[in-house]
Amino acid sequence: MKSNYSNTAQLKDLMTVPPMTAAQHAEVMRKRIQHRRMVEEAKELKKADCSHFDKR
């Protein structure tokens, strides 16, 4: 589980950094979705392997 407090930054730094562009946001979201799909597929494969061995 990720910690909400792992990315700590000073308020001044957060307020002075320009916002990310639409292209940057899209790339971040694509990576997040790709990672989530990989995790879900790994869980499904693990569940399939466990159920395969339980039938014997």
Side-chain angles (χ1 to χ4, degrees):
M1 185 63 95
K2 280 188 176 180
S3 171
N4 290 338
Y5 302 106
S6 62
N7 294 331
T8 56
Q10 297 297 320
L11 182 59
K12 180 182 177 191
D13 295 337
L14 293 174
M15 298 303 289
T16 57
V17 174
M20 68 172 81
T21 64
Q24 289 172 322
H25 182 264
E27 184 62 29
V28 168
M29 293 307 293
R30 274 193 292 271
K31 286 182 181 179
R32 187 178 293 172
I33 290 168
Q34 180 184 15
H35 183 262
R36 186 176 63 229
R37 285 183 180 159
M38 285 176 26
V39 170
E40 289 174 356
E41 287 175 5
K43 285 180 182 178
E44 289 174 2
L45 286 172
K46 184 176 180 182
K47 184 185 276 187
D49 285 346
C50 288
S51 64
H52 175 71
F53 290 118
D54 289 343
K55 290 181 181 178
R56 288 183 180 184

